[in-house]
């Protein structure tokens, strides 16, 4: 299969990219000494920055989505918003490349021209994300919001399993235990009086949740394989081609789902300032995800989004009067323990 080919081609260059955010434990004393005020390892600093950016951006996504609604409904077309996100990501990647070309010139690693073999793999994750995003709307016909948040945690396990199968990366027994604890902690943090309904979810809801988890996990791991296939390739070039296909698929979704509405009311009908902020947030989050995959891995992304979920709940206390339950504090503690266990359980 294609991802096997990607993995084989990546074998020689994967050692530099394998170091994830918590790899400082295994570094020489000269690097570890940076904690005491010495020089900071540039790779560790870069991974930390992109992971922190992803956590902050992800934590504000749900808040902006809630704010973008009016009377509990989306007055704008969701498909046009998704297309705008892809277009903005593409434009930001081009802007970054233009700056690189001005400062460093055009090289083999940062030029947009490419081969068919390199670009032909990008439609796969773009299509997977499109299907997953569409299912995200239909699943609410079978499950409520609290139940959806709990079922969404299946993505944690699917990412770990697919990470092992597709990329052939080993996780230690301690890391597997930490992964399961992370899933349990996220679920516990989201429990509330209406969460019992998740056990009454119809078969269709469970099937959609499982398919969404597999699609999300596979798309993420597959994208990491593509990005790390050629470690020296500029991340903005790789992003550009991925987002181009994302625009194509989302344009098709507009034609199929909202063509009449867009023609009659306009592409930006119902947009507000909050909608624009939401699109900007999603675009920056997407770029941050690709950078985490480039400089860290999908496991770091999973932990980052899990911590972001907790941060969202805390911020919601001040913005929406959200009440933190005992289950939330217990779940937060479990997630923190999981992060620690994963960091000390890295395979050497």
């Amino acid at each position: 299969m294609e991802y096997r080919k990607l993995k084989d081609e990546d074998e020689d260059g994967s050692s530099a990219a394998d170091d994830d955010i918590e790899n400082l434990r295994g570094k020489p004393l000269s690097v570890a000494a940076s904690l005491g005020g010495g020089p900071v390892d540039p790779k560790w600093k870069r991974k930390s920055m992109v992971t922190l950016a992803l956590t902050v951006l992800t934590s504000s996504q749900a808040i902006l989505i809630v704010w973008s609604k009016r009377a509990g409904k989306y007055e704008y077309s969701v498909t046009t918003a998704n297309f705008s996100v892809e277009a903005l990501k593409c434009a930001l990647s081009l802007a970054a490349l233009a700056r690189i070309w001005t400062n460093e010139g055009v090289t083999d690693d940062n030029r947009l021209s490419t081969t068919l073999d390199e670009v032909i793999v990008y439609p796969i994750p773009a299509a997977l994300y499109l299907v997953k995003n569409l299912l995200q709307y239909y699943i609410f016909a079978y499950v409520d919001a609290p139940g959806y948040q709990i079922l969404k945690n299946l993505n944690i396990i699917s990412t770990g399993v697919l990470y092992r199968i597709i990329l052939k990366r080993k996780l230690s027994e301690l890391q597997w235990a930490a992964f399961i604890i992370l899933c349990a902690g996220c679920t516990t943090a989201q429990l509330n009086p209406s969460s019992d309904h998740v056990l009454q979810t119809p078969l269709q809801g469970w099937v959609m949740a499982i398919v969404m988890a597999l699609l999300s996990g596979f798309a993420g791991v597959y994208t990491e394989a593509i990005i790390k296939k050629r470690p020296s390739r500029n991340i903005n070039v790789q992003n550009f081609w991925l987002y181009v296909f994302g625009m194509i698929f989302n344009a098709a979704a507009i034609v199929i789902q909202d063509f009449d509405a867009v023609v009659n009311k306009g592409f930006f009908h119902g947009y507000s300032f909050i909608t624009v902020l939401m699109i900007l947030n999603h675009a920056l989050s997407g770029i941050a995800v690709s950078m985490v995959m480039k400089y860290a891995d999908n496991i770091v992304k999973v932990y980052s989004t899990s911590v972001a979920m907790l941060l969202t709940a805390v911020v919601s206390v001040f913005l929406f009067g959200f009440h933190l339950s005992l289950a939330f504090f217990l779940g937060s503690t479990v997630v923190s323990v999981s992060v620690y266990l994963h960091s000390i359980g890295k395979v050497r």
Side-chain angles (χ1 to χ4, degrees), residues 260-298:
D260 291 338
V262 171
V263 170
N264 295 328
K265 298 180 179 179
F267 189 92
F268 299 106
H269 174 74
Y271 278 45
S272 65
F273 178 69
I274 297 298
T275 307
V276 174
L277 286 182
M278 182 194 68
I279 291 172
L280 177 61
N281 175 277
H282 277 70
L284 294 176
S285 297
I287 293 175
V289 166
S290 66
M291 289 188 173
V292 168
M293 291 181 181
K294 179 79 170 182
Y295 304 121
D297 54 44
N298 263 278

Side-chain angles (χ1 to χ4, degrees), residues 16-22 43-58 159 163 167 169 220-221 223-225 227-228 235 238-239 243 284-305:
D18 280 347
D19 298 330
D20 59 16
I21 197 70
E22 69 281 334
K43 290 183 179 180
W44 184 89
K45 183 178 180 180
R46 180 171 54 188
K47 294 173 188 176
S48 300
M49 289 180 63
V50 296
T51 304
L52 178 61
L54 176 60
T55 303
V56 173
L57 289 168
T58 303
T159 299
Y163 186 80
L167 295 182
R169 308 280 176 81
V221 175
T223 302
E224 180 181 341
I227 290 176
K228 289 181 177 176
I235 183 62
Q238 295 172 313
N239 281 344
Y243 302 149
L284 294 176
S285 297
I287 293 175
V289 166
S290 66
M291 289 188 173
V292 168
M293 291 181 181
K294 179 79 170 182
Y295 304 121
D297 54 44
N298 263 278
I299 306 301
V300 173
K301 187 193 79 170
V302 166
Y303 276 92
S304 174
T305 52

